[in-house]
């Protein structure tokens, strides 16, 4: 009897045993992004203890900290008025002794259609609220993927998105990732971009109110207290597995914190 092989995506081999730290662009430093950064600090320390070169993070956000950000996002009252990216990166560097960087601009093309400086990275993690921002990121990644080969050529995009009680995390490859020969597994070289696979659903959700909240109470009406941290932990666990085990059977999940259900998404 013939049985179908299990579908597996093997991590790009250059990320498993790199000479230099892996460059990651984290886009968005709000409710999810601020917690993803904490998880990346833990991941970086664990990787270096295991003999890996670790991570080099560049955090992108042009927003400043307000009173409404306290409580749900990882900011203190003394940081009000500072750029979110600067406050988080300074704290991470002081805590971990790293030399991570902050960008106080949006990760988007300028008026002349020019790519942002320092846009190149191996991994992109997006924690953005708007559909427009996601399509903008996808556009930049496609342009970078068609450029000349270089050490920090884009390989993966990990996208976090959520509403008040629900959310999802999806891993995409940027182009094809060379896979090893395997008799045991059916290897999958390409994972579709979130904007290609769920583009229509994203556009339908575009009507959601994304105006800034004036208070924590108002913010909690849009996103409940622990949805961001719940997604951040589970999503970063997916990234950790790529490094730790060199392969994954799953490329993400749908998560409902209200009824505590999580539905994994297998590699297609």
């Amino acid at each position: 009897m013939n049985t179908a092989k299990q579908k597996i995506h093997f991590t790009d081999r250059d990320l498993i045993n790199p000479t230099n730290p892996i460059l990651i662009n984290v886009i968005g430093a709000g409710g999810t992004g601020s917690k993803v950064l904490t998880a990346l600090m833990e991941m970086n320390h664990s990787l270096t203890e295991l003999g890996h070169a670790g991570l080099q993070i560049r955090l992108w956000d042009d927003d400043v900290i307000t009173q409404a950000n306290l409580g749900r996002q990882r900011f203190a009252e003394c940081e009000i008025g500072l750029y979110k990216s600067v406050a988080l990166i300074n704290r991470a560097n002081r805590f971990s002794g790293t030399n991570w960087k902050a960008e106080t601009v949006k990760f988007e093309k300028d008026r002349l259609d020019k790519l942002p400086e320092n846009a190149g990275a191996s991994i992109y993690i997006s924690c953005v609220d708007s559909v427009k921002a996601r399509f903008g990121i996808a556009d930049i990644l496609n342009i970078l993927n068609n450029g000349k080969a270089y050490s920090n050529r884009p390989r993966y995009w990990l996208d976090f998105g959520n509403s008040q009680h629900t959310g999802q995390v999806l891993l995409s490859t940027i182009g094809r990732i060379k896979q090893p020969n395997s008799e045991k597994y059916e290897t999958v070289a390409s994972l579709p971009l979130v904007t290609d696979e769920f583009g229509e659903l994203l556009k339908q959700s575009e009507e959601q109110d994304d105006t800034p909240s004036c208070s924590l109470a108002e913010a909690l009406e849009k996103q409940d207290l622990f949805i961001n941290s719940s997604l951040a932990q589970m999503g970063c666990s997916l990234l950790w597995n790529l490094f730790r085990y060199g392969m994954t059977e799953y490329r993400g999940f749908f998560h409902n914190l209200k009824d505590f259900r999580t539905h994994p998404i297998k590699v297609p």
Side-chain angles (χ1 to χ4, degrees):
M1 186 175 86
N2 291 328
T3 57
K5 291 183 180 179
Q6 183 181 8
K7 290 185 177 182
I8 292 287
H9 173 78
F10 284 88
T11 312
D12 188 301
R13 63 182 183 181
D14 290 339
L15 304 184
I16 300 298
N17 190 26
T19 304
N20 300 309
I22 296 169
L23 186 54
I24 299 179
N25 275 331
V26 180
I27 306 161
T32 303
S34 61
K35 284 153 184 154
V36 163
L37 191 73
T38 302
L40 291 175
M41 289 167 57
E42 297 168 356
M43 196 183 305
N44 177 63
H45 178 79
S46 299
L47 285 171
T48 55
E49 287 294 303
L50 292 170
H52 189 276
L55 311 175
Q56 176 65 30
I57 309 297
R58 190 176 294 273
L59 180 62
W60 299 73
D61 201 308
D62 68 334
D63 202 8
V64 298
I65 302 163
T66 66
Q67 187 72 37
N69 299 140
L70 308 186
R72 195 178 61 82
Q73 300 181 21
R74 214 149 259 175
F75 300 110
E77 191 162 355
C78 62
E79 294 173 321
I80 290 175
L82 298 177
Y83 281 106
K84 290 180 177 180
S85 56
V86 171
L88 289 170
I89 288 296
N90 283 345
R91 197 187 313 158
N93 287 340
R94 287 195 301 268
F95 189 89
S96 303
T98 48
N99 188 30
W100 294 355
K101 306 296 182 183
E103 295 284 350
T104 57
V105 295
K106 290 182 179 178
F107 187 82
E108 63 183 13
K109 291 193 276 187
D110 65 16
R111 294 177 183 177
L112 301 176
D113 221 28
K114 185 180 177 182
L115 297 184
E117 274 192 72
N118 303 311
S122 296
I123 299 173
Y124 295 78
I125 301 176
S126 55
C127 310
V128 296
D129 292 329
S130 76
V131 175
K132 180 182 176 183
R134 280 191 179 86
F135 278 94
I137 292 167
D139 184 31
I140 291 173
L141 296 186
N142 282 322
I143 293 170
L144 290 171
N145 186 46
N146 292 326
K148 295 179 181 179
Y150 52 98
S151 59
N152 285 322
R153 65 179 176 84
R155 291 170 173 87
Y156 293 103
W157 177 15
L158 187 64
D159 179 66
F160 290 76
N162 69 280
S163 57
Q164 185 177 9
H165 299 288
T166 63
Q168 71 285 328
V169 176
L170 285 163
L171 177 71
S172 307
T173 60
I174 304 167
R176 295 176 63 83
I177 304 295
K178 187 177 180 181
Q179 300 289 286
N181 296 324
S182 175
E183 295 183 2
K184 184 176 181 181
Y185 301 112
E186 178 183 345
T187 60
V188 178
S190 180
L191 306 174
L193 296 184
V194 60
T195 47
D196 292 338
E197 190 174 16
F198 297 103
E200 289 305 314
L201 284 174
L202 287 171
K203 289 173 184 175
Q204 290 172 18
S205 67
E206 201 164 16
E207 297 176 1
Q208 182 180 345
D209 178 20
D210 62 353
T211 54
S213 303
C214 297
S215 67
L216 176 59
E218 187 178 336
L220 290 174
E221 288 298 317
K222 298 177 183 178
Q223 298 183 34
D224 206 22
L225 186 58
F226 293 111
I227 184 63
N228 303 107
S229 53
S230 182
L231 288 171
Q233 291 293 306
M234 295 178 67
C236 286
S237 179
L238 171 60
L239 185 61
W240 166 251
N241 288 339
L242 282 176
F243 290 123
R244 189 75 176 97
Y245 303 110
M247 62 182 187
T248 181
E249 178 186 354
Y250 302 99
R251 57 163 306 217
F253 57 88
F254 294 107
H255 184 53
N256 188 323
L257 194 58
K258 195 169 187 178
D259 60 13
F260 304 105
R261 285 187 300 168
T262 301
H263 179 72
I265 305 170
K266 288 198 171 188
V267 167

